[in-house]
Amino acid sequence: MNRSLSSSLYSRSKSTYQNLLKPFLNSTSTLNSSTIAWSDPLYRRISPLGDRRVSVVPVLDQWVQEGNLVDSRQLRLIIKELKVFSRFRQALEISQWMSDKGPVSIADAATRLRLIFRVHGLEQVEKYFNNLPQQLKGFEVYTSLLNCYADENSIEKAESIMQKLGDMGFDRTPFCYNMLLNLYCRIGSREKVDSLMHEMEEKGCCNEHTFTILSSAYAAASDRDGIDGIVEKMESDPKVIMKHRTYAIAADGYLKVGQLDRALEMLKKLEGHISTEKRKNILFPILLTLYTKTGNKDELYRIWNLYKENVKIYNKGYITILSSLLKFNDIEGAEKIFKEWESRGLFYDMRIPNFVIDAYSRNGHMGKAEDLLHNGIRKGGKPFFTTYYCLTGGYILDNQVPKAAEALKKAMVTSSKIRKDTLVTCLEYLEGKGDVDRAEEFISLLRTEGLFSAAVHEKLLNCIKNRT
């Protein structure tokens, strides 16, 4: 591993507009849809509480007051599901509620540690750990604590816990070593990586996850020789089961270092898992994404046809193929796929027409973009803020500044939040074109619509004038 291992950690400088708007604009977060089966009546009450600030404790108390039984296994499954959708605060509330009502297992304490870390940070994690009874400080709890230290890049504390695990007789467990290895790779310490790998090999506790961690690190560092060495080790080690994820990471790594032939070789091996892979709806989107990176559209279509031959495709598959095709700016192909999706009668996920609306907007087909939006609304689709952001940029490019302002207003109303990047892009585009008048018109329209205060309006105008 070379010195460039840590080069993947970088910071992006903010433009004048971003700094100016920071106090007034909020960032956005991606909204997810729950995929859990709604057979659990308690979960059906908790799931709609999408606002993470809303407490779930009253729901739990009401459930008990109604005479319903509470099963700890049921609550653990709900906690697990809430974690999937980053509802950590609510998951922590359920964990605490469980502790108040009954005995705590080592696994429960381990889960609680990770949730506390997510919600309150490392200081509260250590406080909780120190107050745990000794009989609960088992392997799972220590590995959970190690995970927290690794995520926080607390090297000395992570190493101390690793030593403790060794004293407890768990020093041949790949899971713990891999967490530490991942930390060393992330901070770019070749010396520590090499030393730990030597120790792991001596103890025979390397597994496929060990090699995928290293492969990802070498790829991030653009270390072609490193990737070659890891692939060779993985394929020659009889104890390592080469799973589809392993080949996917290797292929992605070779693409990052410009080794197209080697990447295609890994992709062919990845395709070899199609016949045996049970979760084909996970494998095919990976193949689509990686073949897109090779720049070969014909191969992309070939994989798409294989996808359709092997499994029933749902919305996620259509999202992946549309995203891939539009990286080639293949609008005609995207239109055909979109029509195919519409004919399937699947749940009308607005993310799918969003891709086509974005493509139309970027290529000046604003009439088509508007028609697609209206058609989606008629069919029950609910536009996202990103839908209107796409239109905003398209209107700017099409010299329709009033419509751009109106679209941006709808975006802000739709989300109750706003990303800075689209507004910044609009302003920088106008500035780059030297079109100060149109930039001022755009800003004034936003002010007229009540999107900014007079103070922000004045600062933006001054910014435009001072930079020309």
Side-chain angles (χ1 to χ4, degrees):
M1 187 175 299
N2 58 34
R3 288 174 298 181
S4 63
L5 178 63
S6 60
S7 64
S8 60
L9 301 177
Y10 63 93
S11 60
R12 299 177 61 186
S13 59
K14 296 180 180 178
S15 70
T16 302
Y17 297 122
Q18 287 172 312
N19 288 324
L20 177 63
L21 297 169
K22 184 177 180 180
F24 307 95
L25 306 179
N26 298 316
S27 61
T28 60
S29 59
T30 303
L31 298 178
N32 293 304
S33 301
S34 179
T35 57
I36 194 172
W38 279 61
S39 57
D40 186 329
L42 178 56
Y43 182 77
R44 287 204 302 270
R45 295 191 187 185
I46 291 173
S47 181
L49 302 177
D51 187 339
R52 296 164 192 174
R53 296 168 296 182
V54 175
S55 174
V56 298
V57 172
V59 176
L60 295 170
D61 290 339
Q62 179 66 29
W63 178 261
V64 174
Q65 289 169 12
E66 292 173 3
N68 296 304
L69 297 177
V70 179
D71 179 73
S72 58
R73 179 178 175 275
Q74 173 191 30
L75 293 177
R76 291 183 187 113
L77 288 174
I78 293 174
I79 288 173
K80 184 177 180 180
E81 189 67 18
L82 291 175
K83 285 165 60 181
V84 169
F85 297 102
S86 301
R87 294 167 63 174
F88 302 114
R89 188 175 297 277
Q90 292 173 334
L92 178 58
E93 283 188 326
I94 296 176
S95 175
Q96 291 170 331
W97 191 86
M98 286 175 64
S99 300
D100 293 340
K101 304 298 180 183
V104 177
S105 69
I106 293 176
D108 291 334
T111 299
R112 180 85 160 269
L113 270 175
R114 289 295 293 162
L115 290 172
I116 292 172
F117 178 72
R118 290 285 193 176
V119 177
H120 299 299
L122 198 55
E123 184 178 344
Q124 290 301 312
V125 165
E126 292 176 328
K127 182 178 179 180
Y128 176 75
F129 175 80
N130 291 334
N131 289 329
L132 276 176
Q134 193 60 39
Q135 65 268 24
L136 288 181
K137 293 183 179 179
F139 171 71
E140 289 177 273
V141 168
Y142 274 105
T143 54
S144 185
L145 183 58
L146 173 61
N147 204 346
C148 295
Y149 285 141
D151 283 353
E152 193 75 4
N153 289 346
S154 297
I155 300 170
E156 291 183 4
K157 290 183 177 181
E159 290 172 340
S160 174
I161 294 298
M162 195 67 189
Q163 181 61 51
K164 177 67 176 179
L165 286 166
D167 296 340
M168 295 168 66
F170 297 117
D171 58 346
R172 293 182 182 272
T173 307
F175 178 66
C176 299
Y177 274 107
N178 286 337
M179 278 194 282
L180 200 58
L181 182 66
N182 199 22
L183 168 60
Y184 291 158
C185 287
R186 196 164 59 244
I187 64 173
S189 174
R190 172 172 181 155
E191 182 180 349
K192 286 183 177 292
V193 168
D194 290 345
S195 175
L196 188 62
M197 274 301 299
H198 178 71
E199 183 179 342
M200 292 174 73
E201 287 171 347
E202 279 192 337
K203 293 181 177 179
C205 61
C206 297
N207 61 11
E208 68 273 10
H209 298 298
T210 306
F211 295 122
T212 53
I213 289 169
L214 288 173
S215 181
S216 297
Y218 288 131
S222 299
D223 187 342
R224 183 178 59 194
D225 293 337
I227 300 172
D228 283 337
I230 290 300
V231 171
E232 184 180 343
K233 277 187 176 183
M234 285 191 292
E235 293 187 323
S236 62
D237 191 334
K239 293 183 294 183
V240 174
I241 301 172
M242 295 294 284
K243 298 180 181 179
H244 77 260
R245 180 174 178 268
T246 311
Y247 284 120
I249 291 174
D252 194 41
Y254 280 123
L255 288 169
K256 286 177 180 176
V257 298
Q259 289 290 101
L260 182 59
D261 289 343
R262 289 288 283 156
L264 291 173
E265 183 183 336
M266 294 297 106
L267 284 173
K268 291 301 179 185
K269 292 180 178 181
L270 178 57
E271 284 186 55
H273 285 259
I274 291 175
S275 60
T276 57
E277 178 58 54
K278 294 180 180 179
R279 300 177 300 170
K280 290 183 174 62
N281 271 318
I282 293 177
L283 176 57
F284 275 108
I286 293 172
L287 282 166
L288 289 172
T289 300
L290 289 172
Y291 270 114
T292 300
K293 291 183 179 182
T294 69
N296 191 325
K297 189 167 66 173
D298 291 337
E299 287 292 277
L300 178 64
Y301 275 113
R302 181 180 67 81
I303 295 297
W304 175 247
N305 290 328
L306 275 177
Y307 196 173
K308 292 193 288 186
E309 290 171 9
N310 278 270
V311 291
K312 185 176 180 180
I313 303 175
Y314 295 96
N315 285 348
K316 181 180 179 181
Y318 283 100
I319 287 171
T320 305
I321 186 62
L322 284 171
S323 173
S324 298
L325 285 174
L326 291 173
K327 286 182 171 63
F328 293 98
N329 204 31
D330 185 0
I331 296 178
E332 183 179 349
E335 288 175 328
K336 290 178 181 177
I337 296 293
F338 178 73
K339 289 177 182 177
E340 177 186 315
W341 169 74
E342 278 195 312
S343 70
R344 291 279 311 281
L346 299 172
F347 168 72
Y348 204 93
D349 187 337
M350 199 66 192
R351 289 177 298 174
I352 293 174
N354 251 19
F355 283 107
V356 188
I357 290 171
D358 182 33
Y360 285 152
S361 299
R362 285 186 285 106
N363 288 273
H365 306 307
M366 296 311 298
K368 286 186 174 182
E370 291 169 347
D371 289 344
L372 191 53
L373 172 61
H374 297 150
N375 181 58
I377 293 172
R378 281 196 301 271
K379 293 188 175 183
K382 295 183 179 180
F384 302 113
F385 58 90
T386 51
T387 310
Y388 293 110
Y389 278 137
C390 294
L391 292 171
T392 300
Y395 287 134
I396 286 287
L397 293 172
D398 203 37
N399 298 323
Q400 299 188 58
V401 176
K403 282 192 172 183
E406 182 63 27
L408 185 59
K409 179 183 179 182
K410 287 180 179 178
M412 298 169 79
V413 170
T414 301
S415 68
S416 77
K417 299 178 180 179
I418 182 172
R419 282 170 49 182
K420 299 182 286 293
D421 58 349
T422 298
L423 179 55
V424 169
T425 299
C426 292
L427 295 174
E428 288 181 341
Y429 169 78
L430 293 172
E431 180 191 52
K433 292 291 185 181
D435 197 340
V436 178
D437 291 339
R438 205 143 52 93
E440 292 180 356
E441 178 189 358
F442 182 66
I443 295 168
S444 295
L445 279 169
L446 297 177
R447 170 71 180 106
T448 302
E449 294 291 345
L451 302 186
F452 296 117
S453 67
V456 177
H457 172 246
E458 189 65 28
K459 287 181 180 180
L460 287 170
L461 288 177
N462 289 336
C463 183
I464 286 284
K465 294 173 182 177
N466 292 336
R467 285 167 62 90
T468 56

